[in-house]
Structures are given as structure tokens and as C-alpha cells.
């Protein structure tokens, strides 16, 4: 018994000041080394080290493809079922018959929904930096439908060419029939699909943090490391950014489903932290994803959609163009291209596809196209840089593990 008591008391012995000093110096040196490694990885970008970045990107791409191939092989039953269903659909698609009308309808709706879901995923998935697809695609689409609805007095645009091109219907409709709810109903499908895509894009941080918590391994993610450091320094946090992150973490952890719903229902740049928090504290998947889906695809999406529709309603647009003319010095010169652009868009709505097309496009359209092109190129570059940095981290972790085994 005495021996057992002595053994039980041993772990409770306090460390000597010398041991504490050695432990703190080891931790500080390890922290400094990790910081240096992080700075070295961040310097691995195309405009500084192009050849090394491209080499690491190609290797990381091959490793990722190999990992995904292995995961698909482990789920070969699901893959086989998917292939069978795809083959059946291909047969139904190619065989002539009365069912072709329904097949074409399903194909059209599926591709339309998949397009917006894909844009939503690109907007929120952690691939370097998100592509702002709401500002580049969904927002302009809602705005063009809103302007066309007020100009045409209807939302029954002929299909085709809608949605590729909006043309007013030939029959006349009273302007009073257009309401806010009518326009919201017209763009509800694409808006909700985009919101669902953003919810799907929030899953990687959740799965990464959950897997790290269950396995006890260090995850290959900077955000998770920052999250763990934030939890360690929660009591001494002073700056506003850290306090805001802690507020999100506390709300999600303590309130649960409704806390996640509240964070997902408003434009929130810190929502990645909510996914990491839910994964770290092992919140059930359907609690996290259900709240995120409802918040982003229904509540937040209707708020954003309502804002765009109100902003681009006929009288608001005319007032904004009129206000541009009051800018001292350059007001008149700025107002003219905006008016020309709006007139061109109105004329285009009343012309059938291919008839009376304008010979030259407005410089506003040209500028917007170039902005979209630049942002897409930057998004691609950020993916290349991010994957190259991921491979650099693999090499650093391999070096750490080799040093530990020595």
C-alpha cells in the first residue's frame, strides 16, 4: 500500500525551476522554428520562386490525386452504383421516345443547379482564397433580372434564350404586376443553389478539425493551429480580432444549433472558425451542416437577394445615376456612360436574340469583364501557391519526424 501511495504521489511532484526553464526554452525555440517555417512557406509564391512553386504544385497535385483515387477505391461500392446510374441515364438520354421531353427538362435543371452550386462552393471552399462568385456572377444575374422585370413589365422571359440572355416577352403585361416577391421568386432557385454551395464549401474546416480531435494528430492547416493558440491564450486576449473570434467560438460552443444558425445567417468572414470549432468540440455533423444550410441557403440568401433587388429597382437606379451628375467637376462625364449603358441594356431587352445587336459594347461592360478575368486569374494563382505551400509543409513535417526518430 505504501509503495502504491508513493507511486500515486510521484506525478504530483512539482517541477524544479530548472526543469521549468528548460521546458519553456524548448517550447519557445519550437515556436520560433515553426514561425520561421511558416514564413518560408508563405514566401513560396509564383512571383518570387516560380520554378519551385510550379514543381511543388505538380507534386502536390499528383499526391492529392493518388489520395482521392485510394479513397474512391475504398468506396468502390458507391462508385459502382454511381456508374450504373450514370449508364442508365445515358441510355435514356440517347434512346428516342416520348420520355425525351422529361429527360431534357431534367438535364437542363440539373446543369443549371450544378452551375450555381459549383460557384457557391468556389466562393467558400478553402483553396487559397475564395472566389467572390456572388459579386461576379449571382449579384449581376439578380440585378439584370430586376432591371429587365421593371423594363419588360414581366418575368416570363422566353426560354431560350433565357437564362443565357434576357429578352422581353412579346405579349404586353401591366407594370403593376411586377412586385418584389415576383422578382425574388424568379431568382429563388439559383440563389438557393448558390447558398447551398457555400454551405458545402464550409465542410472541409469542420472535417479537418474533427479528424484532428479524434486522432490526436497535428492537422496540416494554419487556421486550426491559430485556433488552438487562441484557445490557449483566451484569457489574455486584448485585440478586437481575437475577441471577435472568441465570441464566435463561445456562441457556437454554448448555443449549439441556433448559434451556428445565427453565424451562418449573416455575412460573417469568421464563419470558417465556426466550422473549426464545431469539428474540434465534436458537434454532430447534421447539427452543423443543417444549421449552416438553413442559414446560408435560406436566411442569408434571401437577405442578400432582397438587398440587390431593392438596390437595382428602377427608381433607385435612376436616382443613383442622377446623383452621379452632382459630383463636382467630373459628374457630367461620369453620368453619360452610365446613362448610355442603361439605354443600351433596355434596347437589348426589346430585341430578339441576334437582331439589332450593338456594334460596340459599353466601356463599363469591358471593365467588368476584365475585373472578372483578373479575379479568376488571381483565384487560380492562389490555388497554385496554396498547393505548393502544402507540399512544402509535407517536407517540413517529414523532416520533423526524422529528427524525432534519431
Amino acid at each position: 500500500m505504501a509503495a502504491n501511495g508513493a507511486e500515486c504521489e510521484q506525478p504530483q511532484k512539482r517541477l524544479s525551476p530548472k526543469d521549468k526553464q528548460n521546458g519553456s526554452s524548448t517550447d519557445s525555440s519550437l515556436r520560433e522554428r515553426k514561425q520561421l517555417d511558416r514564413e518560408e512557406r508563405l514566401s513560396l509564391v509564383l512571383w518570387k520562386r516560380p520554378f519551385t512553386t510550379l514543381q511543388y504544385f505538380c507534386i502536390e497535385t499528383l499526391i492529392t490525386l493518388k489520395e482521392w483515387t485510394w479513397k474512391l477505391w475504398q468506396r468502390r461500392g458507391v462508385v459502382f452504383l454511381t456508374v450504373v446510374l450514370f449508364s442508365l441515364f445515358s441510355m435514356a438520354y440517347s434512346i428516342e421516345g416520348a420520355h425525351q421531353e422529361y429527360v431534357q427538362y431534367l438535364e437542363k435543371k440539373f446543369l443549371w443547379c450544378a452551375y450555381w452550386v459549383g460557384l457557391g462552393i468556389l466562393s467558400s471552399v478553402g483553396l487559397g482564397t475564395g472566389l467572390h462568385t456572388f459579386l461576379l456572377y449571382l449579384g449581376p444575374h439578380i440585378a439584370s433580372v430586376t432591371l429587365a422585370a421593371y423594363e419588360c413589365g414581366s418575368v416570363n422571359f422566353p426560354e431560350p434564350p433565357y437564362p443565357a440572355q434576357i429578352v422581353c416577352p412579346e405579349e404586353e403585361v401591366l407594370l403593376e404586376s411586377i412586385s418584389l416577391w415576383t422578382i425574388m421568386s424568379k431568382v429563388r432557385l439559383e440563389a438557393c443553389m448558390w447558398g447551398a454551395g457555400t454551405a458545402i464549401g464550409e465542410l472541409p474546416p469542420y472535417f479537418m478539425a474533427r479528424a484532428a480531435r479524434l486522432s490526436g494528430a497535428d492537422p496540416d492547416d494554419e487556421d486550426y493551429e491559430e485556433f488552438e493558440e487562441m484557445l490557449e491564450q483566451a484569457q489574455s486576449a486584448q485585440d478586437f480580432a481575437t475577441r471577435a473570434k472568441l465570441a464566435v467560438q463561445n456562441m457556437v460552443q454554448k448555443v449549439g444549433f441556433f448559434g451556428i444558425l445565427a453565424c451562418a445567417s449573416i455575412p460573417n468572414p469568421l464563419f470558417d472558425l465556426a466550422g473549426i470549432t464545431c469539428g474540434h468540440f465534436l458537434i454532430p455533423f447534421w447539427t452543423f451542416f443543417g444549421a449552416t444550410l438553413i442559414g446560408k441557403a435560406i436566411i442569408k440568401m434571401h437577405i442578400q437577394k432582397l438587398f440587390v433587388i431593392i438596390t437595382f429597382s428602377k427608381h433607385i437606379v435612376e436616382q443613383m445615376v442622377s446623383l452621379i451628375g452632382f459630383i463636382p467637376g467630373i459628374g457630367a462625364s461620369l453620368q453619360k456612360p452610365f446613362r448610355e449603358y442603361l439605354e443600351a441594356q433596355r434596347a437589348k431587352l426589346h430585341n430578339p436574340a441576334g437582331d439589332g445587336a450593338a456594334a460596340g459594347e459599353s466601356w463599363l461592360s469591358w471593365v467588368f469583364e476584365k475585373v472578372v478575368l483578373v479575379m479568376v486569374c488571381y483565384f487560380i494563382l492562389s490555388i497554385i501557391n496554396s498547393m505548393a505551400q502544402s507540399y512544402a509543409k509535407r517536407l517540413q513535417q517529414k523532416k520533423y519526424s526524422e529528427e524525432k526518430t534519431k
Side-chain angles (χ1 to χ4, degrees):
M1 292 290 291
N4 291 339
E7 288 177 3
C8 292
E9 289 175 2
Q10 249 182 342
Q12 297 177 1
K13 288 182 179 179
R14 294 183 178 179
L15 294 173
S16 64
K18 187 177 180 181
D19 292 335
K20 286 183 179 180
Q21 186 176 359
N22 291 337
S24 62
S25 62
T26 303
D27 291 341
S28 62
S29 62
L30 183 62
R31 193 177 294 110
E32 288 175 2
R33 183 175 176 181
K34 284 187 175 182
Q35 182 63 29
L36 290 174
D37 288 342
R38 183 179 299 178
E39 291 174 359
E40 183 183 353
R41 289 197 305 273
L42 292 177
S43 68
L44 192 65
V45 290
L46 278 170
W47 45 89
K48 290 184 179 179
R49 300 162 62 186
F51 297 108
T52 306
T53 303
L54 287 174
Q55 180 188 2
Y56 282 13
F57 165 72
C58 293
I59 297 172
E60 181 67 17
T61 302
L62 293 174
I63 292 173
T64 305
L65 289 174
K66 181 181 177 182
E67 290 175 350
W68 276 101
T69 304
W70 175 245
K71 288 179 181 178
L72 289 174
W73 175 251
Q74 289 178 322
R75 295 165 177 81
R76 50 189 175 274
V78 177
V79 174
F80 177 75
L81 182 61
T82 304
V83 171
V84 169
L85 291 174
F86 182 76
S87 301
L88 291 174
F89 183 79
S90 299
M91 291 173 60
Y93 185 79
S94 57
I95 297 173
E96 295 293 334
H99 65 284
Q100 280 296 325
E101 179 183 353
Y102 303 102
V103 170
Q104 291 175 5
Y105 175 80
L106 288 174
E107 178 194 18
K108 180 182 176 182
K109 286 296 181 185
F110 174 78
L111 293 176
W112 184 239
C113 293
Y115 172 75
W116 289 110
V117 170
L119 288 177
I121 293 172
L122 288 176
S123 182
S124 61
V125 74
L127 292 173
T129 180
L131 182 66
H132 302 289
T133 53
F134 181 86
L135 295 176
L136 297 179
Y137 297 98
L138 184 59
H141 173 71
I142 297 173
S144 61
V145 170
T146 303
L147 292 172
Y150 283 107
E151 177 64 24
C152 303
S154 172
V155 291
N156 297 319
F157 311 123
E159 300 184 21
Y162 182 82
Q165 181 184 359
I166 302 176
V167 179
C168 291
E170 294 181 1
E171 67 273 10
E172 294 185 2
V173 184
L174 293 175
L175 291 175
E176 286 76 16
S177 63
I178 292 299
S179 65
L180 195 64
W181 180 257
T182 305
I183 303 172
M184 290 179 69
S185 300
K186 184 66 177 178
V187 296
R188 180 176 290 119
L189 177 63
E190 45 266 48
C192 289
M193 289 298 104
W194 185 88
T198 61
I200 295 171
E202 299 293 352
L203 293 179
Y206 170 83
F207 285 125
M208 175 271 302
R210 183 180 178 86
R213 180 66 184 272
L214 291 173
S215 64
D218 292 330
D220 184 14
D221 190 85
E222 305 288 348
D223 291 335
Y224 189 77
E225 293 177 0
E226 183 183 348
F227 172 75
E228 288 191 322
E229 291 177 5
M230 185 186 70
L231 290 181
E232 293 173 1
Q233 303 170 1
Q235 301 299 327
S236 59
Q238 297 294 331
D239 58 296
F240 175 77
T242 304
R243 289 201 301 269
K245 292 178 180 179
L246 285 171
V248 171
Q249 182 253 326
N250 290 329
M251 176 182 286
V252 170
Q253 184 184 358
K254 293 177 181 178
V255 184
F257 179 89
F258 292 102
I260 303 168
L261 183 65
C263 291
S265 299
I266 57 174
N268 185 1
L270 301 177
F271 192 79
D272 277 351
L273 186 64
I276 294 174
T277 302
C278 292
H280 180 79
F281 291 105
L282 304 180
I283 291 175
F285 169 76
W286 287 111
T287 301
F288 168 71
F289 185 65
T292 304
L293 186 64
I294 294 171
K296 286 184 171 289
I298 299 177
I299 301 175
K300 179 184 173 184
M301 200 60 256
H302 276 78
I303 295 172
Q304 291 178 298
K305 186 167 55 173
L306 189 65
F307 174 78
V308 174
I309 293 172
I310 292 174
T311 303
F312 286 90
S313 59
K314 188 175 181 180
H315 62 284
I316 296 291
V317 171
E318 290 175 351
Q319 287 178 2
M320 287 193 296
V321 174
S322 299
L323 288 173
I324 291 174
F326 292 104
I327 299 176
I330 60 172
S333 58
L334 278 178
Q335 190 182 47
K336 183 180 178 182
F338 278 98
R339 287 196 183 280
E340 290 177 352
Y341 177 74
L342 289 175
E343 290 299 326
Q345 293 302 110
R346 287 169 180 164
K348 193 184 296 184
L349 291 171
H350 295 284
N351 291 326
D355 294 347
E361 292 188 358
S362 168
W363 68 270
L364 290 174
S365 302
W366 184 87
V367 168
F368 182 75
E369 288 175 1
K370 297 304 177 283
V371 168
V372 171
L373 182 63
V374 168
M375 293 189 73
V376 170
C377 291
Y378 178 73
F379 178 64
I380 294 171
L381 290 177
S382 70
I383 293 174
I384 295 173
N385 293 335
S386 178
M387 294 186 70
Q389 292 165 10
S390 296
Y391 181 71
K393 187 164 187 177
R394 287 180 190 268
L395 296 179
Q396 291 171 353
Q397 288 177 335
K398 183 180 179 182
K399 187 177 178 180
Y400 285 151
S401 60
E402 288 176 353
E403 289 177 355
K404 288 180 181 178
T405 54
K406 287 180 182 180

